[in-house]
């Protein structure tokens, strides 16, 4: 057995602690007074839901590791799973306290504007009457209060379900515990009929009625509680050894297990006594360090429905000015999308550009008699997906439609199961990816036949086929008629159908085999240039140790490295002799930065790719991802323009410091890249248009794999 390699951790940091710093940057947006007030409240909600998922997934995973592999060492921090958990549990209370303070500030400012979260004592007489009637008519009939004592066992607490817990007293010597689950069928808040800006939360109302729900028992004190359970379900095949059902059924069964996994956190809203907290800990079976007492609501998902329910004249001045994605001026809204892409490569930049050109492309392909097939990878779809309905229509029109559907997209499994059934019912061929490797790539291939010849339209994206998130996430969609890319996309889908992860490609980089290897080679090319070398990578996160070490090697060679990483960064820049030439920027703002761009070199010599893959071990080693080179001179300049504007941001950007903390950038004049992109479209008209004729004539593809050998091998089969 090989001894574990000793890693240098002097310029790296723990993934989980880096993620907590990211969520802190989200929370700082709620603190920023330049952000409209209701948007600040939304950022508090986003912070809270992010932290919920962190406990469900990351803390849950570490807990499992601490039991199964307690001596495993994190290669970025040298910590064991338990050591990481100890650091996490020590870090969280400060974040929660800061969240509570910011929430109180935001709510106080909203109260000044007339938007008030009321206590029972603050209701006017006519409002009390209305709330009493509402309670009797709609709330009381669906309540299920229960007593926990020697004869009544402690119930299973559902993950993130709110409960009213009461310490009861009566004639018995040993007082029982009372629990009231908040009914899911009821809205989380009740607006006052004469002033909808005044509302009371459902849990506030139930707290005031707890003393009337337990018969002869009366609460000595009550609080709101919820538990966060481990939701890190493993999809390892050994879980299915004794199950005969198809893959979709297996995933459905695993979803039911999610609510029954171990408790990672107990949250209590209010000021419960230490005695009551000890009672709850003993009954729920959690340790003291897993208990968090909060003054903000435990679940802030009601914030978005609340903002939507406020009168427009109240909410509009306290919200972002609505932004309608523009239709790209370079695309004729009435012309054939297929013909326009044949003439020139196209690029869409969401959410600033409308998704409509891509939807038109799919719709046209669904009806075009020359189109013989549409193949697409699907990771997440909108709940009311236009894209899925177009694919169904294409299949009903006789097109061969193949959807590589990833059922293991965390927290979207149920939605994807529903869509997979609808697609199959419409005649689409649905396949479920490769065992042990999630398919996270964003690839769509339209194949056309003209006589005996085939031609292709290929779309490669950095984000999901989801019209809802297209309006909230920054992403890129590239559409091309280049034959070499279409042939690679054809090979990709053929490889996925036979579970071949080792396919060879002429232009596309495909993980788990191709992306990391090529990225390391491209870094070596820049190392050879020394101080003339340049790397700029925009992604969500970076955790892959081999990539981090190679970037450190780049820095030691004098290469300038600019990383634009919104979330996790396990490298610490600015460490003398190791990372002093590396600069890390994080942008957190109105839109979630999601596009991935890889740039190696400067100007015309730069090698540019867009990708679905972050610089994370899971993306580069354990998932099927695609990175696509961009050859079009005008689109290459667009990508460089995007990177340049991000690096110039001094409003929503923060710099990662050598100690692992972040510092907000500043400067004059203030410049927000997201605000700039809303006002300035991709400057395609500034660039020399691509020459007419074959799209592939603009630039020669980078031949890093043997395409023709692969093709002849396939034909022989």
């Amino acid at each position: 057995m090989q001894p574990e390699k000793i890693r240098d951790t002097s310029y790296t940091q723990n993934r989980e602690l880096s993620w907590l710093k990211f969520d802190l940057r989200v929370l700082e947006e709620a603190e920023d007074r330049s952000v409209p007030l209701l948007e600040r409240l939304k950022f508090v909600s986003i912070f809270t839901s992010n932290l919920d998922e962190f406990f469900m997934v990351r803390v849950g995973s570490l807990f499992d590791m601490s039991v199964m592999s307690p001596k495993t060492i994190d290669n970025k921090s040298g910590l064991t799973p338990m050591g990481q958990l100890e650091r996490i549990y020590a870090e969280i209370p400060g974040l929660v306290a800061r969240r509570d303070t910011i929430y109180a500030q935001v709510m106080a400012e909203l109260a000044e504007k007339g938007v008030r979260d009321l206590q029972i004592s603050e209701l006017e007489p006519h409002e009390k009457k209305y709330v009493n009637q509402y309670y009797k008519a709609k709330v009381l009939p669906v309540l299920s209060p229960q007593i926990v004592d020697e004869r009544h066992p402690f119930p299973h607490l559902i993950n993130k379900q709110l409960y009213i817990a009461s310490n009861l007293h009566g004639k018995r010597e040993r007082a029982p515990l009372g629990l009231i689950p908040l009914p899911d069928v009821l809205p989380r808040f009740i607006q006052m009929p004469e002033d909808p800006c005044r509302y009371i939360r459902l849990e506030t109302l139930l707290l005031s009625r707890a003393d009337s729900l337990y018969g002869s028992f009366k609460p000595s004190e009550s609080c709101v509680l919820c538990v966060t359970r481990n939701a890190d379900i493993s999809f390892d095949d050994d879980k299915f050894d004794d199950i005969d059902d198809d893959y979709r059924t297996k995933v459905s069964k695993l979803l039911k297990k999610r609510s029954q996994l171990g408790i990672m956190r107990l949250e209590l809203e209010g000021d419960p006594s230490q005695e009551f907290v000890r009672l709850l800990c003993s009954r729920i079976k959690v340790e003291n360090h897993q208990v968090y007492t909060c003054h903000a609501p435990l679940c802030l998902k009601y914030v978005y429905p609340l903002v939507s329910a406020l009168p427009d004249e109240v909410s509009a001045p306290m919200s972002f000015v609505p932004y309608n994605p523009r239709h790209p001026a370079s695309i004729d809204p009435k012309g054939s999308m297929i013909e326009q892409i044949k003439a020139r490569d196209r690029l869409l930049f969401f959410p600033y550009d409308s998704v409509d050109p891509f939807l038109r492309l799919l719709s046209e392909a669904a009806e075009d008699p020359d189109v013989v097939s549409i193949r697409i990878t699907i990771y997440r779809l909108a709940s009311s997906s236009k894209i899925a309905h177009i694919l169904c229509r294409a299949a009903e029109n006789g097109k061969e439609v193949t959807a590589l559907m990833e059922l293991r997209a965390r927290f979207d499994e149920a939605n994807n199961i529903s869509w997979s059934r609808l697609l199959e019912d419409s005649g689409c061929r649905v396949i479920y990816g490769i065992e042990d490797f999630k398919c996270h790539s964003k690839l769509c291939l339209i194949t056309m036949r003209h006589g005996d010849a085939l031609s292709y339209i290929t779309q490669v994206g950095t984000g999901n086929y989801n019209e809802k998130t297209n309006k909230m996430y920054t992403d890129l969609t590239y559409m091309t008629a280049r034959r070499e890319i279409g042939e690679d996309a054809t090979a990709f889908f053929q490889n996925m159908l036979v579970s071949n992860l080792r396919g060879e490609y002429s232009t596309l980089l495909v993980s788990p085999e191709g992306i990391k290897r090529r990225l390391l080679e491209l870094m070596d090319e820049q190392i050879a240039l020394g101080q003339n070398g340049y790397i700029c990578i925009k992604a969500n996160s970076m955790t892959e140790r081999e990539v981090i070490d190679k970037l450190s090697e780049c820095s030691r060679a004098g290469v300038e490295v600019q990383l634009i990483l919104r979330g996790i960064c396990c490298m610490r820049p600015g460490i003398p002799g190791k990372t002093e030439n590396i600069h890390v920027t994080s942008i957190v703002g109105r839109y979630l930065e999601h596009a991935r761009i890889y740039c190696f070199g400067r100007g015309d010599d730069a090698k540019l790719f867009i990708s679905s893959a972050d610089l994370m071990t899971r993306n580069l080693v354990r998932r099927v991802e695609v990175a696509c080179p961009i050859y079009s001179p005008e689109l290459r300049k667009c990508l460089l323009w995007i990177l340049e504007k991000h690096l110039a941001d001094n409003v929503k950007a923060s710099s990662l410091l050598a100690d692992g903390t972040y510092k907000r950038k500043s400067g004059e004049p203030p410049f927000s890249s997201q605000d700039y992109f809303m006002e300035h479209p991709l400057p395609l008209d500034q660039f020399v248009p691509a020459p007419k004729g074959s799209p592939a004539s603009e630039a020669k593809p980078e031949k890093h794999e043997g395409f023709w050998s692969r093709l002849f091998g396939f034909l022989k089969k």
Side-chain angles (χ1 to χ4, degrees):
M1 186 174 179
Q2 293 288 336
E4 187 169 347
K5 182 178 179 180
I6 298 175
R7 299 280 191 174
D8 180 357
T9 59
S10 63
Y11 57 90
T12 55
Q13 62 178 335
N14 179 257
R15 165 191 172 141
E16 320 308 343
L17 298 177
S18 178
W19 187 93
L20 290 176
K21 292 183 178 73
F22 157 67
D23 208 21
L24 175 59
R25 296 195 295 282
V26 173
L27 187 58
E28 287 171 348
E29 289 299 296
E31 215 170 15
D32 186 345
R33 292 186 175 275
S34 70
V35 176
L37 197 51
L38 287 174
E39 306 296 344
R40 290 169 60 192
L41 183 61
K42 290 179 183 178
F43 276 114
V44 179
S45 176
I46 293 168
F47 166 87
T48 302
S49 61
N50 283 351
L51 200 57
D52 290 344
E53 185 171 336
F54 177 76
F55 270 97
M56 286 188 280
V57 178
R58 298 308 308 167
V59 175
S61 175
L62 284 172
F63 180 81
D64 291 344
M65 288 176 62
S66 72
V67 174
M68 299 173 63
S69 305
K71 295 182 180 180
T72 300
I73 300 297
D74 171 40
N75 63 17
K76 271 85 72 178
S77 64
L79 295 171
T80 63
M82 186 55 67
Q84 294 178 67
L85 287 170
E86 290 171 355
R87 292 283 300 276
I88 288 167
Y89 280 116
E91 193 84 13
I92 297 293
L95 286 174
V96 171
R98 187 165 177 181
R99 187 275 312 270
D100 286 358
T101 299
I102 293 172
Y103 175 79
Q105 292 171 347
V106 170
M107 294 307 296
E109 292 181 45
L110 281 171
E112 293 176 3
K113 304 287 186 181
V115 179
R116 294 179 59 87
D117 179 2
L118 301 167
Q119 298 297 314
I120 292 291
S121 60
E122 296 174 304
L123 294 173
E124 299 292 343
H126 66 280
E127 292 174 334
K128 282 185 179 179
K129 182 178 179 181
Y130 171 75
V131 169
N132 287 337
Q133 292 172 343
Y134 183 96
Y135 174 77
K136 291 176 182 178
K138 297 185 178 181
V139 180
L140 186 58
V142 294
L143 290 183
S144 301
Q146 54 194 122
I147 288 176
V148 182
D149 57 14
E150 298 86 359
R151 297 182 180 180
H152 302 84
F154 199 89
H156 173 78
L157 299 181
I158 298 172
N159 183 44
K160 293 307 299 178
Q161 168 81 51
L162 296 186
Y163 296 84
I164 306 299
S166 298
N167 193 1
L168 303 176
H169 61 86
K171 295 179 180 179
R172 298 183 190 173
E173 290 183 4
R174 188 171 181 180
L177 181 69
L179 286 174
I180 308 170
L182 263 69
D184 289 332
V185 296
L186 295 176
R188 280 285 316 283
F189 58 92
I190 304 156
Q191 291 174 287
M192 301 301 110
E194 295 183 8
D195 185 354
C197 295
R198 291 167 60 84
Y199 66 95
I200 185 170
R201 285 181 285 126
L202 181 60
E203 58 264 42
T204 304
L205 174 58
L206 289 182
L207 274 172
S208 72
R209 301 305 172 105
D211 60 354
S212 64
L213 294 171
Y214 295 106
S216 61
F217 294 102
K218 298 297 177 185
S220 58
E221 61 177 312
S222 300
C223 71
V224 186
L225 71 76
C226 75
V227 298
T228 309
R229 291 184 176 275
N230 180 357
D232 186 44
I233 290 179
S234 170
F235 289 87
D236 296 337
D237 197 55
D238 60 3
K239 290 183 179 292
F240 304 128
D241 283 348
D242 299 321
I243 301 176
D244 252 344
D245 302 324
D246 66 21
Y247 188 64
R248 185 163 55 203
T249 304
K250 294 170 185 175
V251 175
S252 297
K253 290 183 177 180
L254 273 179
L255 286 178
K256 294 178 182 178
K257 292 183 180 181
R258 177 170 283 164
S259 64
Q260 301 172 3
L261 298 176
I263 294 174
M264 300 292 102
R265 174 179 61 165
L266 168 63
E267 293 179 282
L268 307 173
E269 180 187 343
D271 292 300
S273 67
Q274 288 301 310
E275 178 188 355
F276 192 24
V277 173
R278 283 194 295 270
L279 173 63
L280 291 171
C281 286
S282 66
R283 295 297 182 90
I284 298 174
K285 310 298 183 187
V286 293
E287 304 292 334
N288 288 336
H289 66 270
Q290 295 177 289
V291 181
Y292 298 92
T293 302
C294 314
H295 291 96
L298 301 186
C299 180
L300 283 163
K301 291 182 179 179
Y302 80 92
V303 164
Y304 285 84
L306 172 67
V307 172
S308 298
L310 294 174
D312 289 343
E313 62 272 16
V314 174
S315 61
M318 295 188 287
S319 303
F320 287 129
V321 176
Y323 178 78
N324 295 316
R326 56 183 164 251
H327 190 283
S330 61
I331 295 178
D332 180 355
K334 297 182 179 179
S336 162
M337 281 302 301
I338 291 175
E339 294 304 317
Q340 292 185 76
I341 295 168
K342 284 182 178 179
R344 197 163 127 200
D345 288 355
R346 306 290 172 167
L347 186 69
L348 301 177
F349 188 18
F350 305 139
Y352 314 108
D353 290 337
S354 169
V355 71
D356 184 61
F358 176 65
L359 296 177
R360 285 179 50 227
L361 170 64
L362 279 183
S363 291
E364 186 179 339
E367 306 294 339
D368 191 327
D370 290 335
V371 171
V372 294
S373 70
I374 301 172
R375 300 174 185 178
I376 190 170
T377 61
I378 295 175
Y379 194 73
R380 298 187 195 276
L381 289 171
S383 55
S384 55
S385 173
K386 295 179 182 178
I387 290 170
H389 285 297
I390 294 171
L391 294 174
C392 291
R393 191 171 82 243
E396 290 162 358
N397 286 344
K399 313 298 181 188
E400 179 194 323
V401 178
T402 301
L404 176 51
M405 175 78 76
E406 183 50 76
L407 294 186
R408 296 164 293 184
R410 185 177 281 119
F411 303 123
D412 262 8
E413 299 96 339
N415 187 49
N416 284 1
I417 288 171
S418 297
W419 279 119
S420 69
R421 290 182 177 129
L422 180 66
L423 290 166
E424 284 183 339
D425 290 345
S426 298
C428 301
R429 181 184 187 183
V430 180
I431 57 176
Y432 299 120
I434 295 178
E435 178 185 350
D436 297 333
F437 289 84
K438 285 185 181 181
C439 184
H440 189 252
S441 56
K442 325 297 180 187
L443 188 66
C444 179
L445 174 67
I446 298 167
T447 303
M448 295 162 286
R449 177 178 287 118
H450 313 276
D452 294 331
L454 296 179
S455 64
Y456 310 97
I457 298 291
T458 310
Q459 177 270 340
V460 184
T462 66
N464 295 303
Y465 297 106
N466 186 320
E467 302 93 318
K468 181 178 179 181
T469 56
N470 289 155
K471 295 180 180 179
M472 298 184 291
Y473 294 6
T474 72
D475 271 309
L476 294 162
T477 274
Y478 171 59
M479 298 173 285
T480 183
R482 292 174 182 273
R483 173 165 288 277
E484 68 275 12
I485 291 179
E487 289 173 341
D488 268 6
T490 300
F492 171 86
F493 283 104
Q494 291 170 344
N495 286 327
M496 293 303 102
L497 285 168
V498 296
S499 299
N500 177 19
L501 294 173
R502 299 181 181 274
E504 295 181 352
Y505 303 92
S506 168
T507 56
L508 296 180
L509 309 180
V510 180
S511 71
E513 290 290 320
I515 298 181
K516 187 174 87 167
R517 181 179 68 243
R518 185 59 186 141
L519 290 181
L520 296 175
E521 291 171 356
L522 291 165
M523 291 176 192
D524 281 332
E525 290 177 8
Q526 296 306 305
I527 289 171
L529 296 175
Q531 294 184 358
N532 294 321
Y534 179 76
I535 296 171
C536 184
I537 297 179
K538 172 175 164 54
N540 291 329
S541 297
M542 181 172 73
T543 67
E544 169 54 30
R545 182 70 210 226
E546 196 171 351
V547 169
I548 291 170
D549 290 342
K550 182 61 72 173
L551 287 172
S552 174
E553 189 179 340
C554 291
S555 176
R556 296 196 301 273
V559 177
E560 180 186 347
V561 179
Q562 295 284 354
L563 302 175
I564 305 168
L565 303 173
R566 167 177 54 85
I568 300 165
C569 180
C570 289
M571 170 181 280
R572 291 188 292 122
I575 305 297
K578 296 179 180 179
T579 59
E580 69 266 40
N581 291 312
I582 295 175
H583 311 274
V584 181
T585 297
S586 170
I587 297 173
V588 177
R590 174 175 180 171
Y591 299 119
L592 185 140
E593 291 294 337
H594 197 253
R596 289 89 164 189
I597 304 172
Y598 310 153
C599 172
F600 298 89
R602 290 187 170 93
D604 293 340
D605 294 328
K607 293 179 179 177
L608 283 152
F609 302 79
I610 67 167
S611 180
S612 59
D614 291 313
L615 303 180
M616 303 180 75
T617 303
R618 71 180 188 188
N619 299 93
L620 301 179
V621 178
R622 300 182 188 135
R623 285 184 175 181
V624 177
E625 305 271 13
V626 168
C628 180
I630 304 298
Y631 300 123
S632 161
E634 60 175 350
L635 299 191
R636 289 163 53 80
K637 290 178 181 177
C638 279
L639 296 183
L640 294 174
W641 175 81
I642 291 170
L643 295 175
E644 173 195 342
K645 299 307 177 188
H646 279 313
L647 292 174
D649 196 312
N650 58 19
V651 172
K652 294 299 179 184
S654 298
S655 295
L656 177 57
L657 306 181
D659 64 358
T661 62
Y662 284 80
K663 181 180 180 180
R664 184 69 70 100
K665 290 185 179 182
S666 61
E668 293 295 336
F671 178 80
S672 165
S673 57
Q674 293 191 352
D675 287 348
Y676 183 86
F677 293 140
M678 282 192 280
E679 297 170 2
H680 297 80
L682 290 173
L684 291 164
D685 57 341
Q686 296 179 17
F687 305 145
V688 178
K692 293 182 179 179
S694 170
S697 66
E698 294 173 358
K700 293 182 179 179
E702 185 185 4
K703 299 287 185 180
H704 57 84
E705 296 273 6
F707 166 74
W708 290 110
S709 62
R710 186 198 73 242
L711 178 61
F712 289 135
F714 175 75
L715 291 174
K716 287 178 182 178
K717 292 179 183 179

